[in-house]
Amino acid sequence: MKARLIFCFLLAPLLITSLSSCNHNSYLVTLGNFSDELVLKISEGLNRKCISYFARPKMQSGEVFKIVDSNASYYLDGKQYPFFSIAEKADFFIINVGMQDFLPSMTIDVNNNILDYDYDLIEKQLEIFQYHIYHTIEVINDINSKAEIVLLSAYNDYLFEKPEQILFNSIVKQVNNELMEMTELKNVKYLSLVGFNEEIYQSDALDVNDYIVKCLEGYKI
């Protein structure tokens, strides 16, 4: 009996450490186009610790790829945190890239219903975009084969008149087709946001950040 008590006392700290470690490592990593407000809402909505140092507003796919390919680091309180060490502990990644790759090369004036772009340039950008996303996911899978990866779709938050609206939607569709192809890779899911405009207009209290969190609620743990 005495030996069993001693064993229990020795085992208890190990169990506590293990449980604390599991809880500490249960977090998600955001990559790409995220504002601080959106990251906070996602963290609260999914009730999970969120690492946001590899994201910023208007980040493009090339920047995301560079982070994961070069093992970029962030620094907090004088300590270095390389991407690889963060990625191997995370169990969930949310990647938000899409239209930010293409908007800088487009002429957009909603007030005057102007939309102009170079079709050949868009096609070349799509090829580069696909390369960046594919290899970003490949690197993450190499580091952490068990983590789930969710790709947020591109969406249209401009209100043009026809035919400009149709043209812009066609680009969104091409971008999303590239993203959907990535679901053939390991542990990758695609989350469509293309219907956000209609739902937002039906609720004055709902903005695009709220809509994204609402769509992600199925991943709450």
Side-chain angles (χ1 to χ4, degrees), residues 14 63 72 77 87 89 140 144 154 176 185 201 203 209 219:
L14 294 175
E63 297 172 86
D77 298 329
K89 297 175 184 178
I140 293 174
N144 187 341
N176 286 336
L185 300 176
Y201 293 145
S203 173
N209 288 346
Y219 297 97

Side-chain angles (χ1 to χ4, degrees), residues 17-159:
T17 302
S18 176
L19 290 172
S20 300
S21 177
C22 288
N23 182 59
H24 176 71
N25 291 337
S26 179
Y27 58 80
L28 63 91
V29 175
T30 52
L31 285 164
N33 177 24
F34 291 91
S35 64
D36 291 340
E37 178 188 8
L38 176 55
V39 170
L40 179 60
K41 285 188 175 184
I42 290 175
S43 182
E44 292 175 347
L46 274 63
N47 191 29
R48 307 187 67 176
K49 181 180 178 182
C50 184
I51 303 300
S52 62
Y53 298 98
F54 302 110
R56 68 167 181 81
K58 298 184 179 181
M59 183 178 282
Q60 299 179 1
S61 66
E63 297 172 86
V64 173
F65 170 66
K66 187 174 181 180
I67 288 170
V68 302
D69 187 57
S70 65
N71 192 24
S73 299
Y74 71 87
Y75 295 82
L76 184 64
D77 298 329
K79 188 174 180 180
Q80 182 181 6
Y81 296 88
F83 177 79
F84 288 2
S85 65
I86 297 297
E88 67 183 5
K89 297 175 184 178
D91 50 14
F92 192 35
F93 293 82
I94 305 176
I95 301 178
N96 185 24
V97 289
M99 293 309 298
Q100 293 302 325
D101 280 44
F102 306 91
L103 292 178
S105 63
M106 302 169 68
T107 300
I108 298 174
D109 185 344
V110 177
N111 293 330
N112 295 304
N113 201 45
I114 296 174
L115 172 64
D116 190 25
Y117 60 88
D118 185 322
Y119 179 82
D120 291 335
L121 177 59
I122 292 291
E123 289 295 308
K124 291 177 181 178
Q125 289 175 320
L126 280 168
E127 291 180 9
I128 297 172
F129 175 75
Q130 184 186 48
Y131 176 90
H132 288 154
I133 299 303
Y134 178 88
H135 288 286
T136 293
I137 295 170
E138 192 176 47
V139 172
I140 293 174
N141 277 331
D142 286 344
I143 299 169
N144 187 341
S145 61
K146 296 181 180 179
E148 186 168 19
I149 302 170
V150 174
L151 299 176
L152 301 185
S153 80
Y155 56 87
N156 180 6
D157 57 354
Y158 295 101
L159 288 177

